[in-house]
Amino acid sequence: MTEKDPAHRFTAEAVKAASDDGKKEGAASLSKVAQEVAAQYRRDTMSPVMVSGGVRLIEFGLLLTSGFLIYIYYLGFLGHLGWQYPVVILTASLATVIFLEIADCYQLQSLLKPGSALGRALLCWVGTFAMMAVAAFFMKVSEDFSRLIFGAWFAAGIVLLVGLRLIVARVIRRWARNGRMERRAVIVGGGQAAEVLIRSIEQQPFNDIRICGIFDDRDNRRSPPIVAGYPKLGTVSELLEFARIARIDMLIVSLPLTAETRVLQLLKKLWVLPVDIRLSAHSNQLQFRPRSYSFIGAVPMLDIFDKPINDWDSVAKRAFDILFSLLGIVAFSPVMLATAIAIKLDSKGPVLFKQKRHGFNNEVIEVYKFRSMYADQSDPTARKSVTKNDPRVTRVGRFIRKTSIDELPQFFNSLFGSLSLVGPRPHAVAAQSHNLLYNEVVDGYFARHKVKPGVTGWAQINGWRGEMDTDEKIRKRTELDLYYIENWSLWFDIKILFLTPIRLLNTENAY
C-alpha cells in the first residue's frame, strides 16, 4: 500500500499552542489539534477483510455468469437446459475461488500487485479445468460435454480474471490514497517505545494502518509531545471521546508487559470502546508461540479485545435486520394503524413520541414510540421513570405499554439503521437512578454501546424489562447485555427474536 500522507503531523510548538488554546477556551475536553485530527476521520472506512471478501464474490459471480451465458449462447436456454452443465459450471466456479484462496490470491498484497499473483491465479483456473477433465475421464462422461463451450469459457475466464484484478488493484490504490480503505489506529503510550513501534509499522510493506496520533497520561517531560512526527493529542480519558468522533478501528498499547498495573488501568478505561485493542509485543522480552500473536506486517501484537460484530458479521446482521423489520412492519401494520387511531381518539397530541437515546458508539439517536403519555406531560429526557399507576400515562398508553405495542414503530428504526432488531435496549440520554446517571451507577456501562442497540434484547428475554428503580436492576441488565455482546451469533439473534412474544406475556414489570 502506498505511504499515507502525514497530513496530521505537527510541530511541537503548534501542538503546545493549540493545546493551550483549547484549555483557555474551555469549549471541549479535546484540544484544538485533537478536534482537527478527529474531524478528518469522521467518515467510515472499508475494511480490507470486506474488500477481499467482495473480490471473492465478484470473481465467483463473473465466472459463473460467463459460463452460463456461453452455454446459453451455444445451446439455447429453453431447448437444452439440462442439469449437467449448470452443475459443472457452478462447481467449477466455486472450486476456482477455493483454489485462489488456498493460493493466497486474495491477500491484500496480491490484490495490490496483481502481477505477482496473476501466475498463481491463472494456474488455479487451469487446475480447475484439469480437475474437470480428470473427473469426466474416470466417470466416462467426457463425450456428453461440448469442448467448444468449455474452451470458450476457459478463454473468457482468463480475460475476466486478469481484467478484474487489474481493475481491483487500481481501485484499492485509490482508496488507500484517499483514506477510503484503511484501519485507523491510535498509539496509547508515548516515548521511545512508541517511536520504535511507529517506525516498525511504517516500514511494513502493504500494511493498511493509518496512525492518527498518540495518547498518554504522562506529561511532556516524561512523554514528548511529538513522537516519530505524530502529535500527542491528549490523555487516555480524552481518547474515549476522540475514538468515537474519529471512527478509530484499533488501539495499540505501547507498554511493556512488565508494566502490568498500568496496562490494566488503561484497559479498564478503554474496553468500553467498539474497537480492536492490541498490546504491542515487538519489544517485549517475553516470547510466546507464533500462534499467540496477530501481526501488522511482521510486527507482533497480542490481541486483548476484538471489535464485536465486525466485517461480514455486521453485513449478515444488517441483512437480518432489514428482512425481519420489513416482515414485522407488514405483519403488525393493522395493529399499528389501530393503535394510531386509538391514541388520537384518547388524547390530544401527536401519535408518535420521539426520544433521544444512546446508540452505537455512544452516539445520540432518535427512537420512535407510540405516545403513551399526555402530550403536555411527556418526558423526552426520561429523568423520571414511569411508575405503576403513573398519572402521566393515558388509558390507551397503559394498555400499549403493558403489551409493548408502543415499541412497534421501532421496526422503522431498525429498517433505517439506527437500531438493530436484537441488541442491548437503548436508554434515554438523561435516564437516572436515585439522581445518578446509569453510567455513574455501573462501572463499564458504556460497553453496552459497542454494538447497535436493539428493539428487543437478551436482558428483556430474561425478565429485566420495565422500570429500573434500583441500582441492582441496572447492573443486572448491563450484565446480560454484555453477555449478549460477547456471545453474539445470528442463531442467538433468531432465538431472542422468537422468544420475545412469549416473554412479553409476562407483564408484571410493564406499566
Side-chain angles (χ1 to χ4, degrees):
M1 187 172 292
T2 55
E3 185 178 351
K4 302 160 183 70
D5 297 329
H8 52 280
R9 298 191 183 190
F10 300 88
T11 65
E13 292 77 9
V15 172
K16 185 177 186 303
S19 179
D20 291 343
D21 287 343
K23 291 175 183 176
K24 288 175 184 176
E25 291 171 6
S29 58
L30 291 176
S31 70
K32 188 176 292 185
V33 170
Q35 293 178 54
E36 290 175 359
V37 173
Q40 298 178 35
Y41 302 116
R42 287 181 181 274
R43 187 177 64 172
D44 285 327
T45 60
M46 294 191 65
S47 161
V49 174
M50 296 290 290
V51 172
S52 62
V55 174
R56 290 177 179 88
L57 291 175
I58 293 171
E59 215 150 46
F60 171 74
L62 286 175
L63 293 175
L64 183 67
T65 303
S66 62
F68 273 115
L69 289 176
I70 290 170
Y71 165 66
I72 292 169
Y73 177 78
Y74 281 106
L75 296 183
F77 183 74
L78 297 175
H80 301 84
L81 190 57
W83 62 269
Q84 297 96 333
Y85 274 100
V87 168
V88 170
I89 292 170
L90 175 63
T91 304
S93 300
L94 183 60
T96 302
V97 173
I98 293 172
F99 291 156
L100 289 167
E101 177 68 33
I102 294 171
D104 288 335
C105 291
Y106 294 114
Q107 296 294 323
L108 185 62
Q109 55 265 40
S110 298
L111 296 175
L112 269 170
K113 289 195 170 184
S116 62
L118 273 179
R120 280 177 285 142
L122 295 178
L123 187 61
C124 291
W125 186 233
V126 171
T128 298
F129 275 77
M131 181 186 70
M132 286 195 299
V134 171
F137 174 78
F138 281 106
M139 295 173 68
K140 298 181 179 179
V141 294
S142 57
E143 294 184 358
D144 296 340
F145 295 93
S146 167
R147 292 174 177 80
L148 179 61
I149 289 177
F150 283 103
W153 189 32
F154 179 76
I158 292 176
V159 173
L160 290 172
L161 286 171
V162 173
L164 175 64
R165 287 176 174 270
L166 291 175
I167 293 171
V168 166
R170 293 191 63 180
V171 170
I172 291 179
R173 287 195 189 99
R174 184 167 68 249
W175 284 347
R177 283 194 300 269
N178 63 22
R180 190 73 182 89
M181 192 191 81
E182 62 189 7
R183 285 185 293 171
R184 296 167 182 167
V186 163
I187 307 297
V188 182
Q192 182 64 30
E195 182 171 0
V196 172
L197 172 63
I198 292 170
R199 300 294 186 201
S200 299
I201 292 175
E202 289 184 333
Q203 289 170 6
Q204 303 304 310
F206 310 116
N207 89 78
D208 58 326
I209 297 295
R210 181 185 287 268
I211 298 171
C212 300
I214 298 164
F215 285 80
D216 198 342
D217 286 334
R218 296 174 295 178
D219 59 29
N220 289 348
R221 291 173 298 174
R222 300 177 60 200
S223 176
I226 298 289
V227 177
Y230 293 89
K232 185 171 70 174
L233 298 175
T235 65
V236 173
S237 295
E238 292 166 343
L239 169 57
L240 298 177
E241 182 182 350
F242 179 87
R244 289 181 174 122
I245 297 173
R247 307 280 185 175
I248 295 299
D249 301 299
M250 180 184 295
L251 304 180
I252 304 176
V253 180
S254 176
L255 292 174
L257 290 174
T258 51
E260 179 181 351
T261 302
R262 191 167 170 224
V263 170
L264 290 175
Q265 288 173 344
L266 288 174
L267 295 180
K268 188 177 180 181
K269 291 182 179 180
L270 299 175
W271 75 282
V272 300
L273 290 170
V275 298
D276 295 329
I277 299 181
R278 303 289 181 256
L279 179 60
S280 170
H282 75 291
S283 60
N284 286 312
Q285 299 300 316
L286 184 60
Q287 297 295 315
F288 298 95
R289 290 185 301 174
R291 282 183 295 179
S292 302
Y293 298 106
S294 62
F295 291 86
I296 298 175
V299 180
M301 303 279 171
L302 289 172
D303 297 353
I304 307 299
F305 294 109
D306 289 323
K307 182 179 180 179
I309 316 180
N310 200 18
D311 295 328
W312 288 103
D313 285 343
S314 65
V315 174
K317 188 166 175 64
R318 182 69 186 124
F320 175 90
D321 288 342
I322 292 172
L323 173 62
F324 282 94
S325 294
L326 288 171
L327 291 175
I329 289 169
V330 172
F332 289 103
S333 55
V335 177
M336 288 193 278
L337 180 60
T339 302
I341 294 171
I343 291 171
K344 270 296 184 184
L345 294 175
D346 185 49
S347 62
K348 295 180 180 180
V351 169
L352 291 179
F353 174 69
K354 299 177 183 178
Q355 189 176 63
K356 294 190 182 299
R357 299 190 179 188
H358 280 125
F360 170 70
N361 204 18
N362 215 35
E363 294 174 347
V364 176
I365 60 173
E366 202 168 55
V367 171
Y368 306 138
K369 297 181 69 175
F370 280 124
R371 180 175 59 82
S372 59
M373 295 184 181
Y374 293 102
D376 58 346
Q377 298 182 52
S378 295
D379 181 15
T381 64
R383 287 185 180 274
K384 182 183 177 183
S385 299
V386 176
T387 57
K388 195 170 186 177
N389 299 320
D390 197 316
R392 298 175 297 169
V393 179
T394 66
R395 289 175 300 170
V396 170
R398 287 193 180 90
F399 176 75
I400 64 176
R401 290 181 72 91
K402 208 164 191 62
T403 56
S404 291
I405 290 174
D406 64 324
E407 309 282 0
L408 290 179
Q410 289 170 29
F411 277 119
F412 291 96
N413 280 112
S414 177
L415 181 64
F416 300 147
S418 57
L419 291 183
S420 180
L421 270 181
V422 182
R425 287 290 294 147
H427 296 153
V429 173
Q432 296 182 353
S433 172
H434 303 118
N435 296 320
L436 290 176
L437 295 173
Y438 290 165
N439 64 293
E440 296 173 318
V441 175
V442 181
D443 190 24
Y445 169 82
F446 283 128
R448 300 174 72 255
H449 305 149
K450 292 167 74 169
V451 299
K452 200 178 290 186
V455 177
T456 184
W458 185 234
Q460 285 66 41
I461 292 302
N462 285 275
W464 297 94
R465 59 186 287 244
E467 183 185 5
M468 290 196 292
D469 53 354
T470 68
D471 293 353
E472 178 59 26
K473 287 183 179 181
I474 303 167
R475 291 192 184 96
K476 192 62 181 178
R477 186 180 285 190
T478 302
E479 179 184 323
L480 290 166
D481 288 337
L482 296 181
Y483 176 86
Y484 166 79
I485 293 171
E486 292 166 4
N487 295 275
W488 176 86
S489 71
L490 214 50
W491 288 114
F492 198 9
D493 273 6
I494 293 171
K495 175 183 176 180
I496 293 171
L497 195 61
F498 283 95
L499 280 175
T500 296
I502 300 172
R503 296 294 192 264
L504 288 179
L505 295 175
N506 179 8
T507 60
E508 181 183 353
N509 297 319
Y511 35 80

